Amino acid sequence: MTPTLYYVVCAVLSVTVLLGISMMSRVKTAVRGNIISAASVLAGIVVTLLYNRIASVGSIYVYMLVGVVIGSAFAVRVKMIQMPQLVALLNGVGGLASALVGILTLLGVGQWVSDFPVFSNVTAVLAIVVGVITLVGSLVAAGKLHKLLSQRPVIWKNHAVVLNFSLIVLTVSVVYSAFAGNMFGLPADVALILLISIAFSTLFGFAFSIRVGGADMPITISLLNSLSGVAGAIAGMAISDILLVSVGGIVGASGLFLTQIMCRSMNRSLMDILTGKTSVSGKKVVQPQPVMEEPKSETPDEQSGKPSAGEILRNARSVIIVPGYGMALAQAQHLVRQLADKLEANGAEVRYAIHPVAGRMPGHMNVLLAEADVPYEQLYEMDAINGDFKDTDAVIVIGANDVLNPAARDAVDTPIYGMPVLNVDEAPEVFICNFDLSPGYAGVENPLYTKRNGVHLMLGDAKDSVGRLLSELDKKEPSASSSGEEPAAVNSSEKLRNARSVIIVPGYGMALAQAQHLVRQLADKLEANGAEVRYAIHPVAGRMPGHMNVLLAEADVPYEQLYEMDTINGDFKDTDAVIVIGANDVLNPAARDAVDTPIYGMPVLNVDEAPEVFICNFDLSPGYAGVENPLYTKRSGVHLMLGDAKESLSTMIAWLN
């Protein structure tokens, strides 16, 4: 490959990387942008191997294979809630790679003799400094996000002195590298420079990141992302690799732009954030006094005549949902989507208001809502939707606090004063599904919690709160329950609450509805209610061997609770209740005596022997075998809950609440 062709290819690949990053700024094109950038980087690796004539070095492919295995393992095993930590770690890996390039360059390993040794040495030390700072800062950020370290800012005595002194020493080490070999001889000078630059870069990286609060992590991560690109670009200068310089520069610049955008959204300078001025100090935060509205205020207030939460939501025609980090912690995005679907089915327009710094990394809420298949068109940035809160019928807050705290407008001298917030307080009805009444990371009490009218506090786990809202929406109007006739649902709920031994039978319908997480949630509720819960797995349930096991493992159902058919079939007659989730043929009693049918003689789960059977199937159609299921027409002990499995499960969870 000629130098001219190499430079042309480098220019093209740089443009495609830039194009990919640009496409990542929009959810609709983000996947394609990611693929384009990844393919461009892969092509860059191939071009580098060919142009530098090192494609024949076998050890390179061993290291690449190790990287592929580790990356693939992360892609498969890391949960969505852990994505911010993973992004932080990946930034750190980028910094480490650049630092290694700088170290090897300074040691003269794997390098041709440079025509510009001073430039090479200086850029190598700069790559070490920026790379190590990025690595250590990213590790601290990941530790804070994973709660291995305190999420509150840690500020030492003379913290600023430590930082300033480290910077001065690092500057001296960079300047010193220009004269390497002139002081104590080349080996001694290089060793001294490496020792100083690595030690003080580690100290600086730790000191600057440890005093950033958890709420500022989105900005910190975007800054570290920028630093990883800058470190790569400097490393590229050290080894005269124009492609590395170009791509590193693009990553560094894009990360810096994102950092500036997010700082502007918080109306804060980057220095304020890095010095911990936007978060409270490590001292204990005074808890707010209990508010006048009890956590149970979402239930119907029959005595006062006020409409219940269900009535308000049923009558709402415009609803804005505000997701926050609490939704991520509770992994409630799927239930939030289900709530939105039910509101829309009820005639409401549903939109999502996304604050730029909600969550723990840029775009955190977008990623979680995309996981729940929330249409991108329903997501609105703060500036686009902030004027609509006063005209909407209801707002539902899911685990958000600082980003909607009205105190940011007038509470002078607080960490969030001046930060643009979502105008949730202007809405006539606000449902707040937060864990408790504690202030957010900024430590500023939220006056919304003490507002006397129009605020409905639903404290506790966000999944439970959203489940209660779903249940409220399902409730009939008061006239329907005042006829004196006991609803069948009351009887069903009582039987489920009183059950002390429950067997759950999952089937392909659970897989279709992706209801395994709700199944786990229901099981947890039953266990909290004193019941023993087991799962009966038919060998051919689902569409592949072990299909149900895989889905239940995804929802972290303990393996010890899964029982094969032969092991548990004798226990159905002694259990209090069986819950069927989208299964049919594998429990069809007709298999025992319906001669000449496709399932005749097939061993089935003895579900029909249980005294109470809750069937959460989509409809009463026969299974794939086409044989009618007599369980559906059984007159007693069978509770049919037809329709989407998720909705049926949510109803059952609400019964247990």
Side-chain angles (χ1 to χ4, degrees):
M1 182 180 294
T2 64
T4 303
L5 177 60
Y6 172 70
Y7 293 135
V8 171
V9 171
C10 289
V12 171
L13 291 178
S14 300
V15 171
T16 52
V17 168
L18 189 58
L19 174 65
I21 291 177
S22 174
M23 294 173 71
M24 287 182 214
S25 64
R26 295 178 293 279
V27 173
K28 275 187 173 179
T29 57
V31 174
R32 274 181 291 164
N34 198 21
I35 293 173
I36 290 174
S37 291
S40 301
V41 172
L42 177 61
I45 294 173
V46 174
V47 169
T48 300
L49 293 176
L50 295 175
Y51 181 71
N52 292 288
R53 299 175 183 174
I54 52 176
S56 59
V57 180
S59 58
I60 291 177
Y61 304 101
V62 175
Y63 302 141
M64 290 173 67
L65 180 61
V66 172
V68 168
V69 171
I70 294 174
S72 301
F74 277 142
V76 172
R77 297 180 64 86
V78 173
K79 298 176 182 177
M80 195 59 70
I81 185 67
Q82 299 168 326
M83 199 54 68
Q85 296 94 303
L86 178 62
V87 172
L89 285 176
L90 292 177
N91 289 336
V93 170
L96 174 63
S98 301
L100 288 175
V101 170
I103 292 171
L104 295 176
T105 302
L106 195 62
L107 293 173
V109 177
Q111 288 292 306
W112 291 294
V113 177
S114 174
D115 296 331
F116 308 97
V118 173
F119 179 79
S120 179
N121 288 345
V122 170
T123 50
V125 176
L126 271 176
I128 295 170
V129 170
V130 181
V132 173
I133 289 174
T134 305
L135 170 64
V136 177
S138 298
L139 290 176
V140 173
K144 280 177 173 269
L145 290 167
H146 208 63
K147 296 184 178 178
L148 298 175
L149 300 172
S150 170
Q151 298 203 11
R152 293 196 173 279
V154 177
I155 301 177
W156 305 326
K157 187 179 180 181
N158 300 322
H159 206 124
V161 175
V162 172
L163 285 170
N164 292 333
F165 179 72
S166 299
L167 270 181
I168 293 172
V169 173
L170 290 172
T171 303
V172 170
S173 69
V174 172
V175 175
Y176 185 18
S177 64
F179 305 96
N182 295 331
M183 302 290 287
F184 306 106
L186 186 59
D189 285 348
V190 168
L192 187 59
I193 291 169
L194 280 176
L195 179 64
I196 293 174
S197 59
I198 293 174
F200 281 88
S201 298
T202 301
L203 176 61
F204 184 86
F206 186 83
F208 105 80
S209 55
I210 197 68
R211 71 175 180 179
V212 177
D216 297 324
M217 274 303 151
I219 296 177
T220 308
I221 289 179
S222 64
L223 176 65
L224 290 168
N225 174 255
S226 175
L227 287 179
S228 70
V230 171
I234 297 173
M237 294 179 190
I239 59 175
S240 302
D241 189 312
I242 189 172
L243 184 57
L244 185 53
V245 174
S246 176
V247 174
I250 290 172
V251 173
S254 59
L256 195 56
F257 278 128
L258 180 59
T259 305
Q260 288 181 329
I261 290 171
M262 300 185 75
C263 286
R264 199 177 303 128
S265 299
M266 291 183 68
N267 196 25
R268 290 287 182 273
S269 70
L270 181 60
M271 191 54 65
D272 284 346
I273 292 167
L274 295 181
T275 53
K277 292 181 179 177
T278 58
S279 301
V280 292
S281 63
K283 64 184 179 182
K284 186 177 180 180
V285 177
V286 178
Q287 300 291 323
Q289 295 299 315
V291 295
M292 71 297 299
E293 289 182 85
E294 299 294 336
K296 295 179 180 177
S297 59
E298 73 277 6
T299 57
D301 193 344
E302 296 177 356
Q303 292 183 347
S304 66
K306 291 181 179 179
S308 68
E311 289 172 334
I312 293 170
L313 290 179
R314 279 195 295 274
N315 294 327
R317 290 298 169 263
S318 172
V319 177
I320 297 176
I321 296 175
V322 179
Y325 188 54
M327 183 188 77
L329 284 176
Q331 285 290 284
Q333 60 268 29
H334 296 283
L335 269 182
V336 170
R337 166 65 194 272
Q338 194 177 336
L339 175 62
D341 289 345
K342 196 171 280 292
L343 288 166
E344 288 180 327
N346 206 37
E349 178 196 27
V350 178
R351 292 175 291 173
Y352 296 79
I354 311 296
H355 194 282
V357 296
R360 290 297 174 271
M361 70 175 186
H364 197 179
M365 296 300 106
N366 302 59
V367 170
L368 291 172
L369 294 174
E371 184 192 13
D373 294 327
V374 172
Y376 174 68
E377 295 73 16
Q378 291 184 344
L379 310 188
Y380 288 78
E381 294 183 1
M382 180 174 62
D383 293 340
I385 202 170
N386 233 6
D388 296 347
F389 279 100
K390 63 181 182 300
D391 300 320
T392 197
D393 296 325
V395 172
I396 302 173
V397 177
I398 316 290
N401 197 333
D402 287 338
V403 297
L404 52 88
N405 191 341
R409 304 193 192 104
D410 46 28
V412 184
D413 295 332
T414 61
I416 60 172
Y417 176 63
M419 181 178 88
V421 294
L422 295 164
N423 297 331
V424 170
D425 57 316
E426 295 180 356
E429 304 289 345
V430 181
F431 296 83
I432 299 179
C433 304
N434 283 2
F435 187 76
D436 54 27
L437 300 181
S438 299
Y441 278 100
V444 182
E445 292 185 15
N446 193 328
L448 261 176
Y449 296 164
T450 56
K451 191 176 177 183
R452 288 186 176 275
N453 298 313
V455 172
H456 310 261
L457 295 173
M458 309 187 71
L459 307 184
D461 184 84
K463 273 186 176 176
D464 294 342
S465 300
V466 177
R468 292 206 299 275
L469 285 178
L470 281 164
S471 177
E472 289 287 328
L473 274 172
D474 283 334
K475 284 183 180 176
K476 302 296 183 186
E477 296 296 333
S479 57
S481 61
S482 60
S483 62
E485 185 178 349
E486 185 182 23
V490 173
N491 184 39
S492 300
S493 62
E494 286 180 356
K495 291 186 180 301
L496 190 62
R497 279 196 296 271
N498 292 330
R500 290 298 171 266
S501 171
V502 178
I503 297 177
I504 296 176
V505 179
Y508 188 54
M510 183 188 77
L512 285 175
Q514 284 290 287
Q516 57 269 27
H517 295 283
L518 275 178
V519 170
R520 167 64 193 273
Q521 192 178 342
L522 174 62
D524 290 345
K525 284 286 180 189
L526 287 166
E527 289 179 330
N529 204 39
E532 178 197 26
V533 178
R534 292 176 291 171
Y535 296 79
I537 311 297
H538 193 281
V540 297
R543 289 296 175 270
M544 67 176 188
H547 195 179
M548 295 302 105
N549 302 58
V550 171
L551 291 172
L552 293 173
E554 183 189 7
D556 294 329
V557 172
Y559 178 71
E560 295 73 20
Q561 291 184 342
L562 310 188
Y563 289 78
E564 295 183 359
M565 180 174 64
D566 294 341
T567 308
I568 202 170
N569 233 6
D571 296 347
F572 280 100
K573 63 181 184 301
D574 300 321
T575 196
D576 295 327
V578 172
I579 301 172
V580 178
I581 316 293
N584 198 331
D585 288 338
V586 298
L587 52 87
N588 191 341
R592 302 192 193 106
D593 47 25
V595 184
D596 295 333
T597 62
I599 59 172
Y600 176 62
M602 180 180 85
V604 294
L605 294 164
N606 298 331
V607 170
D608 56 316
E609 296 180 356
E612 304 293 338
V613 182
F614 296 81
I615 299 179
C616 304
N617 283 3
F618 188 75
D619 54 26
L620 299 181
S621 300
Y624 279 97
V627 182
E628 297 286 345
N629 193 327
L631 263 176
Y632 296 166
T633 56
K634 192 176 177 182
R635 289 188 174 275
S636 62
V638 172
H639 311 260
L640 294 173
M641 307 185 70
L642 306 183
D644 184 82
K646 279 185 173 177
E647 294 185 11
S648 301
L649 287 164
S650 296
T651 300
M652 298 174 82
I653 291 170
W655 289 347
L656 294 171
N657 285 332

